[in-house]
């Protein structure tokens, strides 16, 4: 099979010029284009972390798969966990176009050398957590990810288009579950409020440190990897979420939350960054457990993966032998 | 030409489009779970056909529904533990197929016996001894080889049964079986491919595959042993023995494995899974499956 | 990481069957009858059969396609960036080959 990638004619002489011109023209950089080393490294790190987050993110909800309280909820949750595995795979595939191997990235994840979203280091303690993860965590992820659909790196942007579509349904199922619980018993309503109380601040922290403390943001914005600042996305999330919380009938646990007429948006308090930093440093409630599970799956599966390789090698050897025979 | 300087507006447009859902198989609905797909019961008459014994049909649907439910629960236990990420997706697919079958069959059971019990009433509020699944599906997962061996045996036998049931006089059971045939064909293909890879892979994997088959094989006979209800409203599973064993034998031969020569697992006073007499593995499985629903009687989720 | 890439079109790197890992496959889906197969991404599989089953699960689990192709990434030969100009310039003047040559009003959907 022979392919050739068609790039629109952009009058540029050096590879650097061509790269800059493609990015400036809002076209996409494709895998075989020249790109600055730092651009490649930034993308690999970001896409890998994103992929790891999808895979580790299966665990907190997976915690409730076997105990889901109705068969419909069980099916929805299983389909969602499956989507997350799929998202991880799309993203690893995008990262591999940059010249890394998924096996290397997996090694980096299970040895703790690459991070994933710290939100998944919090425990899911009740079934309402499943709904709140869909509503708040997936909602925050969507805010982060929609702009990535226009990321300057083609394979990443294309993966994100598909992921965003699926995430929007993840968010809707979460909200629908919470609406059902809020219409339910007193115990169910308490469960929802408790889950909102525990997940609200970690969700806000998903957007990363405030712009003043985010040194790499400017370069990522210049490269069109990032489109909006962390604080801008956080504000957008709060503005989208507050009316949803009101409709649901839950209280967001922030006494400083109030409407700012002048700005036309919601003012909100500052997350406890010291706690998040502890979670990032590995002291979160579930850091060790999440990595252990992923490592165990990878290591326990090694003999299975090796068997498949050995089997394929035997079949390939047979085939080349047959071809040789036929060649005579 | 789009004006890319107004990026916020562009993104707002995407947020809006994410919130819209257009109907139809090509529409946005397909991104949601369980929508945008053909309903297997679309246009199927749910009235009991004349001359059908409702209690028998209900019991039969419970047997097949419980098989599917309990095995799906075991497959779900693989989630986040699969040997490779691609297999996460595949195993979840198998679990979803079986869960879908279980929901339709249990719903039918509640219609057929006139009790009006829902799929959830039956899944969450029956005791262990009221479950009528074969003992094979409740056995713990073991390693990947054991799970594949069980899947191969179950999918081969259940695919053959569904083929025969696609012509059943009950239109609902027939529709479930007709769709199930396609799903089980895929399960069998998946299990067959892995049996070959493990059986003819490395010496270690071959040993694991042999051990897995040896362990699950004693549970196979129960899938060919008729309960009186099956003889009255279903397909006599004894008729499946020969074709299923022939099919399994062919797969094992290709994998360089031999058919285990092990006796079937004994029954208890002649009773086994179809009679509600199970192994010790079912109790903990159901305790986990039912715990939350039972903590909130009458609650809607 | 920045040496010249001479491998597959999509991966931009030559490795595909690293260590004990499974080789990389590229996946192409025909979204519906009448359309071409389109590249949708890649996956790892030990053999062709596994690649096809995994592609079905991964890229068409929402009925996205009516037909699937999988091909080992290392079986794809691609033009290198350096070859791009001579390779494509001959068609550069045939602007009518490009869809953007045809002016279609913005309010016509799905074109």
């Amino acid at each position: 099979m022979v392919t050739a990638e068609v790039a629109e004619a952009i009058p540029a002489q050096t590879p650097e010029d061509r790269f800059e011109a493609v990015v400036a023209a809002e076209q996409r950089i494709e895998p075989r284009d020249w790109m600055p080393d730092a651009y490649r490294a930034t993308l690999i790190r970001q896409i890998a972390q994103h992929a790891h987050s999808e895979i580790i993110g299966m665990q907190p909800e997976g915690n409730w798969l076997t105990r889901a309280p109705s068969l419909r909820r069980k099916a929805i949750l299983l389909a969602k966990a499956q989507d997350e595995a799929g998202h991880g795979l799309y993203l690893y595939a995008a990262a591999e176009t940059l010249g890394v191997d998924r096996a290397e990235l997996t090694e980096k994840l299970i040895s703790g050398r690459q991070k994933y979203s710290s939100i998944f280091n919090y425990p899911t303690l009740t079934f309402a957590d499943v709904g709140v993860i869909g509503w708040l965590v997936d909602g925050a992820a969507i805010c982060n990810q929609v702009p990535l659909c226009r990321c300057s790196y083609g394979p990443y942007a294309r993966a994100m288009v598909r992921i965003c579509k699926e995430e929007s349904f993840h968010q809707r199922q979460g909200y629908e579950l919470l609406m059902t619980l809020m219409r339910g018993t007193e115990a169910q309503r308490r469960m929802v409020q408790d889950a909102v109380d525990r997940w609200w601040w970690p969700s806000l922290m998903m957007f990363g440190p405030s712009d003043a403390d985010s040194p790499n943001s400017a370069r990522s914005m210049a490269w069109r990897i990032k489109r909006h600042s962390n604080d801008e996305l956080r504000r957008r999330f709060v503005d989208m979420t507050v009316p949803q919380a009101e409709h649901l009938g839950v209280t967001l646990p922030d006494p400083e939350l109030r409407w700012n007429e002048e700005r036309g948006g919601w003012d909100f308090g500052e997350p406890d960054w010291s706690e998040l930093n502890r979670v990032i440093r590995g002291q979160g409630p579930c850091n060790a457990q999440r990595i252990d599970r992923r490592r165990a799956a990878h290591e326990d599966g090694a003999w299975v993966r090796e068997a498949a390789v050995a089997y394929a090698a035997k079949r390939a050897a047979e085939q080349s032998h047959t071809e040789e025979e036929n060649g005579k | 030409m789009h004006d890319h300087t107004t990026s916020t507006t562009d993104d707002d447009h995407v947020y809006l489009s994410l919130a819209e859902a257009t109907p139809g198989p090509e529409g946005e609905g397909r991104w949601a779970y369980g929508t945008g797909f053909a309903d297997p019961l679309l246009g199927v008459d749910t009235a009991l056909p004349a001359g059908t014994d409702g209690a028998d049909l209900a019991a039969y649907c419970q047997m097949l529904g419980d098989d599917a439910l309990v095995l799906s629960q075991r497959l779900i236990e693989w989630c986040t533990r699969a040997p490779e990420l691609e297999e996460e997706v595949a195993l979840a697919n198998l679990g979803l197929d079986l869960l879908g079958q279980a929901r339709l069959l249990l719903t039918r059971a509640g219609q057929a016996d006139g009790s009006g019990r829902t799929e959830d009433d039956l899944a969450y509020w029956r005791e262990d001894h009221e479950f009528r699944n074969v003992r094979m599906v409740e056995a713990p997962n073991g390693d990947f080889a054991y799970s594949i061996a069980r899947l191969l045996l179950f999918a081969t036998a259940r695919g053959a049964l569904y083929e025969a049931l696609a012509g059943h006089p009950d239109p609902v059971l027939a529709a479930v079986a007709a769709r199930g045939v396609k799903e089980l064909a895929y399960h069998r293909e998946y299990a067959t491919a892995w049996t070959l890879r493990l059986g003819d892979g490395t010496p270690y994997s071959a040993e694991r595959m042999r051990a897995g088959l040896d362990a699950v094989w004693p549970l196979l006979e129960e899938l060919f042993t008729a309960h009186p209800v099956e003889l009255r409203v279903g397909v006599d599973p004894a008729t499946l023995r020969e074709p299923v064993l022939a099919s399994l034998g062919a797969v094992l031969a290709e994998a360089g494995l031999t058919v285990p020569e092990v006796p079937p697992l004994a029954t208890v006073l002649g009773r086994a899974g179809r009679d509600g007499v199970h192994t010790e593995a079912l109790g903990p499985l159901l305790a986990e499956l039912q715990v939350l629903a039972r903590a909130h009687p009458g609650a809607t989720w | 990481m920045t040496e010249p890439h001479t491998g597959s079109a999509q991966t931009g790197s030559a490795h595909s069957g690293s260590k004990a890992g499974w080789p990389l496959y590229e996946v192409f889906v025909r979204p519906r009858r009448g359309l071409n197969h389109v590249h949708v991404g890649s996956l790892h599989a030990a053999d062709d059969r596994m690649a096809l089953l995994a592609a079905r699960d991964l890229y068409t689990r929402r009925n996205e396609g009516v037909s699937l192709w999988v091909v080992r990434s290392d079986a794809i030969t691609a033009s290198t960036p350096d070859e791009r100009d001579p390779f494509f310039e001959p068609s550069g003047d045939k602007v009518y080959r490009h869809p953007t040559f045809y002016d279609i009003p913005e309010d016509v959907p799905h074109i």
Side-chain angles (χ1 to χ4, degrees):
Chain A
M1 201 163 167
V2 178
T3 74
E5 276 165 26
V6 184
E8 269 104 301
I10 289 177
Q13 300 310 312
T14 68
E16 288 89 339
D17 287 347
R18 189 199 297 271
F19 172 85
E20 297 290 344
V22 168
V23 170
E26 290 286 350
Q27 290 187 14
R28 300 288 170 260
I29 300 295
E30 294 298 342
R32 297 172 58 76
D33 290 338
W34 182 91
M35 60 187 86
D37 290 354
Y39 177 84
R40 185 185 298 273
T42 300
L43 276 170
I44 289 173
R45 193 180 60 241
Q46 181 174 337
I47 300 173
Q49 284 185 10
H50 196 161
H52 298 331
S53 300
E54 295 283 357
I55 298 305
I56 296 292
M58 296 168 72
Q59 291 183 33
E61 290 168 300
N63 180 34
W64 286 94
L65 264 177
T66 54
R67 293 175 291 166
S70 76
L71 298 186
R72 175 170 171 269
R73 291 290 171 204
K74 190 188 282 284
I76 289 172
L77 198 53
L78 181 54
K80 185 171 186 233
Q82 184 190 39
D83 274 351
E84 279 153 7
H87 296 175
L89 285 167
Y90 305 153
L91 289 162
Y92 283 125
E96 285 185 296
T97 65
L98 290 158
V100 285
D101 197 284
R102 195 212 291 174
E104 289 167 37
L105 300 179
T106 303
E107 273 310 313
K108 285 186 176 161
L109 170 65
I110 62 183
S111 63
R113 279 178 295 148
Q114 266 177 352
K115 301 282 183 205
Y116 53 89
S117 182
S118 286
I119 191 92
F120 301 120
N121 288 321
Y122 291 92
T124 51
L125 301 178
T126 73
F127 197 70
D129 288 29
V130 169
V132 171
I133 286 180
W135 174 41
L136 295 181
V137 177
D138 294 337
I142 290 171
C143 283
N144 269 332
Q145 291 171 357
V146 162
L148 289 173
C149 296
R150 296 184 297 114
C151 164
S152 62
Y153 187 58
Y156 192 25
R158 290 190 287 275
M160 290 317 304
V161 168
R162 198 182 163 104
I163 290 171
C164 281
K165 286 277 189 191
E166 298 185 351
E167 289 285 353
S168 79
F169 281 93
H170 293 184
Q171 191 193 19
R172 268 195 247 176
Q173 67 81 30
Y175 195 73
E176 188 246 4
L177 168 58
L178 296 178
M179 286 198 301
T180 306
L181 298 186
M182 290 303 286
R183 285 195 300 260
T185 64
E186 182 54 36
Q188 286 176 309
R189 278 191 292 278
R190 271 203 311 273
M191 211 183 261
V192 174
Q193 184 61 55
D194 165 64
V196 170
D197 289 347
R198 281 183 288 109
W199 289 94
W200 171 250
W201 291 110
S203 302
L204 287 192
M205 292 189 273
M206 284 175 72
F207 297 94
S210 73
D211 297 345
D213 304 321
S214 183
N216 297 323
S217 282
R219 199 174 57 176
S220 282
M221 303 249 282
W223 278 334
R224 309 278 210 272
I225 295 173
K226 203 173 158 77
R227 296 276 172 173
H228 310 286
S229 77
N230 294 349
D231 288 332
E232 199 179 336
L233 289 166
R234 191 167 10 245
R235 272 196 302 275
R236 180 193 292 247
F237 171 71
V238 172
D239 287 344
M240 284 168 65
T241 307
V242 171
Q244 293 168 354
E246 283 171 359
H247 185 265
L248 201 55
V250 295
T251 308
L252 297 174
D254 179 358
E256 293 175 49
L257 196 65
R258 57 182 57 87
W259 178 252
N260 182 329
E261 192 66 61
E262 199 181 317
R263 197 168 62 78
W266 290 86
D267 289 338
F268 50 95
E270 192 68 18
D272 179 358
W273 292 108
S274 67
E275 183 184 281
L276 179 71
N277 287 332
R278 292 191 59 202
V279 177
I280 291 173
R281 282 199 303 271
Q283 299 160 21
C286 302
N287 293 57
Q289 157 191 349
R290 301 287 187 241
I291 290 294
D292 286 352
R293 168 73 67 82
R294 182 72 196 98
R295 184 189 300 115
H298 189 67
E299 289 173 0
D300 294 349
W303 69 272
V304 175
R305 297 191 300 275
E306 281 158 20
V309 171
Y311 176 79
K314 286 184 197 177
R315 299 291 82 78
E318 271 174 16
Q319 198 179 352
S320 66
H321 182 70
T322 313
E323 278 162 13
E324 243 168 63
E325 296 276 300
N326 294 345
K328 286 175 197 167
Chain B
M1 199 61 201
H2 294 288
D3 178 1
H4 287 287
T5 56
T6 57
S7 58
T8 308
T9 320
D10 275 10
D11 288 342
D12 284 345
H13 177 74
V14 180
Y15 288 120
L16 282 177
S17 73
L18 287 175
E20 288 161 5
T22 48
E26 299 286 331
E28 296 297 306
R30 70 185 161 90
W31 297 101
Y33 321 102
T35 64
F37 295 90
D39 176 1
L41 299 185
L42 189 68
V44 174
D45 187 1
T46 57
L48 281 194
T52 303
D53 182 316
D56 273 354
L57 180 62
Y60 192 51
C61 287
Q62 275 183 43
M63 290 173 180
L64 304 185
D66 289 345
D67 287 348
L69 177 63
V70 172
L71 186 53
S72 81
Q73 181 82 352
R74 287 296 184 211
L75 284 165
I76 284 169
E77 290 173 6
W78 271 105
C79 188
T80 72
R81 294 174 173 90
E84 185 51 285
L85 297 177
E86 278 82 359
E87 305 312 309
E88 288 283 354
V89 182
L91 292 166
N93 246 7
L94 308 182
L96 279 169
D97 284 348
L98 291 170
L99 186 53
Q101 292 167 21
R103 296 178 62 190
L104 294 167
L105 288 164
L106 293 180
T107 300
R108 186 55 172 165
Q111 291 169 348
D113 67 9
S115 69
R117 284 181 293 175
T118 64
E119 59 185 49
D120 288 337
D121 291 336
L122 288 164
Y124 291 93
W125 295 94
R126 279 181 301 154
E127 303 296 323
D128 306 9
H129 64 88
E130 295 173 284
F131 275 73
R132 290 174 167 265
N133 56 280
V134 291
R135 294 176 296 179
M136 177 192 283
V137 294
E138 72 206 30
N141 278 338
D143 66 1
F144 190 68
Y146 180 85
S147 286
I148 288 296
R150 183 213 339 240
L151 192 65
L152 178 71
L153 269 52
F154 181 81
T156 305
R158 190 47 38 98
L161 178 67
Y162 278 161
E163 261 176 54
L165 283 175
H168 195 271
D170 178 40
V172 175
L173 184 52
V176 173
R179 179 157 95 170
V181 166
K182 293 181 201 146
E183 292 173 342
L184 270 296
Y186 172 77
H187 298 193
R188 204 179 128 216
E189 160 72 13
Y190 178 82
T192 299
W194 270 113
T195 301
L196 298 179
R197 289 186 199 109
L198 298 181
D200 193 16
T202 62
Y204 180 75
S205 71
E207 185 195 311
R208 296 313 311 157
M209 195 64 222
R210 267 193 297 274
L213 284 164
D214 284 349
V216 75
W217 208 269
L219 293 158
L220 180 60
E221 184 58 27
E222 202 179 331
L223 273 73
F224 305 136
T225 308
H227 183 278
V229 164
E230 293 176 276
L231 295 176
R232 289 199 295 271
V233 286
V235 168
D236 180 358
T239 61
L240 306 174
R241 181 187 279 109
E242 201 184 318
V244 168
L245 287 177
S247 166
L248 291 173
V251 172
L252 298 192
E254 194 187 338
L257 300 161
T258 50
V259 174
E261 290 183 22
V262 287
L265 198 68
T267 55
V268 178
L269 304 176
R271 293 183 298 161
R274 292 282 186 245
D275 310 290
V277 177
H278 293 278
T279 61
E280 289 181 355
L282 185 66
L285 179 147
L286 290 179
E288 189 173 356
L289 188 146
Q290 297 174 334
V291 61
L292 178 57
R294 288 187 174 217
H296 299 265
T300 302
W301 298 92
Chain C
M1 224 182 281
T2 52
E3 300 103 83
H5 297 299
T6 52
S8 78
Q10 184 58 26
T11 63
S13 70
H15 57 247
S16 58
S18 67
K19 293 152 273 177
W22 293 341
L24 197 63
Y25 280 78
E26 302 300 328
V27 181
F28 300 80
V29 174
R30 185 196 297 286
R32 55 177 181 270
R33 290 177 189 287
L35 297 182
N36 285 322
H37 283 79
V38 178
H39 182 252
V40 291
S42 59
L43 52 80
H44 287 267
D47 54 52
D48 295 355
R49 186 181 192 178
M50 188 195 287
L52 206 52
L53 289 193
R56 167 194 180 274
D57 286 338
L58 186 58
Y59 288 104
T60 68
R61 67 185 183 283
R62 287 185 167 80
N63 298 341
E64 288 96 333
V66 294
S67 162
L68 273 171
W69 290 346
V70 292
V71 59
R72 281 274 294 251
S73 303
D74 56 11
I76 295 178
T77 310
S79 64
T80 67
D82 294 338
E83 287 168 350
R84 182 189 288 132
D85 290 347
F87 200 83
F88 291 109
E89 247 155 27
S91 63
D93 57 344
K94 297 182 182 64
V95 67
Y96 49 84
R97 285 189 196 273
H98 295 276
T100 47
F101 178 68
Y102 303 98
D103 200 5
I104 292 182
E106 288 258 285
D107 52 10
V108 178
H110 306 306
I111 290 189

